[in-house]
Amino acid sequence: VVAADAALAIDPANAAAFVNKANALVVLGKTGDAEEVLRSGREAVPTDERIAKILANLLVRTGQWE
């Protein structure tokens, strides 16, 4: 999580950093925080399909169908 934060501080549009940070948060059981990171990533890099896919998968896993 710290490395991803550092990468985002350098490049706020680093899609891989958003994905890595969200994945780390999911492993730590912080799915709400992971969702926030992915939503921020969608705003920062709206064309990145990886972020959209991982966000969709997370929402399905957590039962958020909307």
Side-chain angles (χ1 to χ4, degrees):
V1 175
V2 174
D5 285 337
L8 289 170
I10 294 167
D11 179 8
N14 184 331
F18 283 108
V19 169
N20 291 337
K21 183 174 181 178
N23 284 333
L25 289 167
V26 168
V27 169
L28 293 172
K30 298 181 177 185
T31 56
D33 292 341
E35 180 182 343
E36 289 179 29
V37 166
L38 291 168
R39 290 191 185 277
S40 295
R42 289 274 310 178
E43 290 179 24
V45 194
T47 58
D48 191 279
E49 294 175 7
R50 294 172 299 174
I51 294 172
K53 181 180 177 182
I54 292 171
L55 176 58
N57 288 339
L58 177 63
L59 293 174
V60 168
R61 285 178 54 189
T62 58
Q64 299 179 54
W65 311 110
E66 53 203 62

